[in-house]
């Protein structure tokens, strides 16, 4: 998928962020928020747009998923979480991809005990909640991979945990597995205020996005928005920016100058 208008139509939700492909991010997973760079600005834009969604009843407990693997979900969760924490929002990231947990790896944190332990009643939230740096971001690692991730993630325990997290945070970001290959995210989606779909530019196929959106609709989950992810800097994507913002990064850089 490349055409933002088509993506909006198939996902049934607006594009609320576009993240360019960034080689440094691919290696380090966490953007350098201290320097002026385009990807950091992409994530700040995503954060700002997220805060404009449903202003009467703003979504707090938000799952990030995608149709298929490797669409940039986990990287998006981690950096969106950091961008929200930078703005002083209390955020907890839940590493809910119990089969391929990568949040803690990307953040350089410990992954041993976590969500699966809480859900199996072998640990309490306070025992496993980790603070990232000195800011407002906390993380719940996945914990050991259980034989039945889908069942755990759709359990009443999970619902109770999310309720607790909702009370203690401004945002709870749930890093979920992709929707099409496994059913894990489907059961989880019903507990969410909404779902952000990551779509990898030029890679996700039309029918895959369509099926992912249909899966969410079938369980009554709300698609809040699309993150158009890993976009080659040269791609012409002017129409993805329906918000009237423009900023000048990249205009003078070699290879930059994409219409934004
Ligand atoms: N903006 C970006 N620019 C360049 N590379 C990126 C970007 N975002 C993510 N990547 C890279 O793409 C790969 C997949 O990213 P990530 O792990 O975030 O995807 P995912 O959808 O969570 O994958 P999975 O389905 O395996 O959980 C990783 O190697 C990551 O470093
Ligand atoms: Mg992932």
């Amino acid at each position: 998928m490349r055409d933002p208008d088509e993506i909006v139509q198939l996902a049934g939700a607006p594009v609320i962020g576009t993240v360019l492909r960034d080689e440094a991010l691919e290696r380090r997973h966490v953007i350098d928020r201290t320097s002026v760079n385009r990807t950091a600005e992409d994530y700040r834009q995503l954060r700002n747009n997220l805060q404009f969604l449903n202003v009467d009843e703003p979504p707090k407990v938000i799952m990030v998923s995608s149709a298929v693997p490797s669409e940039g979900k986990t990287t998006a969760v981690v950096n969106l979480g950091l961008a929200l924490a930078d703005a002083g929002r209390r955020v907890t990231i839940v590493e809910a991809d119990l089969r391929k947990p990568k949040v803690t790896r990307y953040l350089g944190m410990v992954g041993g005990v976590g969500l699966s332990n809480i859900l199996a009643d072998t640990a309490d939230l306070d025992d496993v909640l980790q603070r990232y740096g000195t800011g407002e971001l906390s993380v719940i690692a996945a914990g050991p991979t259980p034989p039945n991730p889908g069942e755990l993630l759709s359990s009443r325990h999970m619902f109770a945990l999310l309720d607790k997290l909702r009370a203690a945070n401004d945002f709870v970001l749930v890093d979920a597995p992709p929707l099409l290959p496994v059913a894990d995210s489907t059961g989880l989606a019903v507990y969410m205020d909404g779902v952000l779909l990551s779509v990898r530019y030029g890679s996700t196929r039309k029918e895959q996005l369509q099926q992912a959106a249909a899966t969410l609709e079938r369980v009554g989950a709300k698609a809040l928005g699309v993150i158009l992810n890993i976009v080659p800097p040269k791609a012409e994507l002017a129409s993805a920016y329906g918000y009237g913002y423009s900023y000048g990064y990249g205009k003078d850089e070699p290879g930059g100058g994409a219409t934004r």
Side-chain angles (χ1 to χ4, degrees), residues 17 19-20 57 92 127 132 139 176 190 201 216 246 251 259:
V19 180
L20 291 195
E57 214 178 316
T92 296
D127 302 332
Y132 180 79
V139 175
V190 298
Y201 183 91
L216 291 179
S246 69
K251 286 216 175 83
T259 313

Side-chain angles (χ1 to χ4, degrees), residues 69-75 97 100-103 106 175-178:
S70 236
E71 299 206 60
K73 298 179 286 296
T74 304
T75 307
D97 189 338
K100 282 207 292 182
K102 288 194 198 135
V103 170
Y106 286 1
D175 180 48

Side-chain angles (χ1 to χ4, degrees), residues 17-26 28-47 72 75-76 78-80 82-83 86 227-233 241 247 249-250 253 260:
T18 299
V19 180
L20 291 195
R21 193 178 66 212
D22 177 336
E23 280 167 21
L25 183 64
E26 188 172 7
R28 291 204 317 261
H29 307 297
V30 176
I31 39 166
D32 177 3
R33 287 123 59 226
T34 57
S35 77
V36 176
N37 72 79
R38 195 158 172 164
T39 321
E41 184 58 30
D42 286 343
Y43 279 112
R44 280 193 286 270
Q45 194 77 67
L46 172 61
R47 168 193 72 198
T75 307
V78 161
N79 288 290
L80 175 60
L82 286 167
D86 284 344
I227 304 168
L228 192 48
N229 222 335
I230 320 183
V231 179
Y241 290 81
Y247 48 90
Y249 301 126
E253 291 166 17
R260 320 243 17 222

Side-chain angles (χ1 to χ4, degrees), residues 31 36 51 54 61 75 95 123 143 199 227:
I31 39 166
V36 176
Q51 297 179 108
N54 302 359
V61 182
T75 307
E95 188 173 54
V199 172
I227 304 168

Side-chain angles (χ1 to χ4, degrees), residues 109-247:
M109 298 171 89
V110 183
V113 189
L115 180 60
S116 59
N117 302 97
I118 301 178
L119 298 178
D121 246 344
T122 55
D124 288 329
L125 174 58
D126 294 340
D127 302 332
V128 306
L129 200 63
Q130 303 183 56
R131 178 66 71 100
Y132 180 79
T134 52
E136 298 286 348
L137 180 64
S138 299
V139 175
I140 299 176
T145 304
N148 52 347
E151 199 182 304
L152 285 187
L153 292 172
S154 58
S155 65
R156 264 179 292 140
H157 264 70
M158 185 69 192
F159 183 69
L161 172 67
L162 290 169
D163 234 25
K164 249 194 224 175
L165 293 174
R166 175 192 294 278
N169 289 277
D170 298 312
F171 288 96
V172 179
L173 300 180
V174 179
D175 180 48
L179 283 156
L180 300 187
V182 286
D184 300 5
S185 308
T186 322
L188 192 52
V190 298
Y191 295 153
M192 300 293 135
D193 295 341
V195 178
L196 295 178
L197 282 171
S198 182
V199 172
R200 184 169 184 154
Y201 183 91
S203 164
T204 311
R205 295 206 318 271
K206 203 168 158 173
E207 26 338 320
Q208 292 173 328
L209 178 59
Q210 207 160 22
Q211 267 185 48
T215 302
L216 291 179
E217 203 178 324
R218 201 180 62 232
V219 297
K222 183 172 173 50
L224 286 173
V226 170
I227 304 168
L228 192 48
N229 222 335
I230 320 183
V231 179
K234 284 185 179 155
E236 281 296 329
L237 265 180
S239 56
Y241 290 81
Y243 302 95
Y245 297 131
S246 69
Y247 48 90

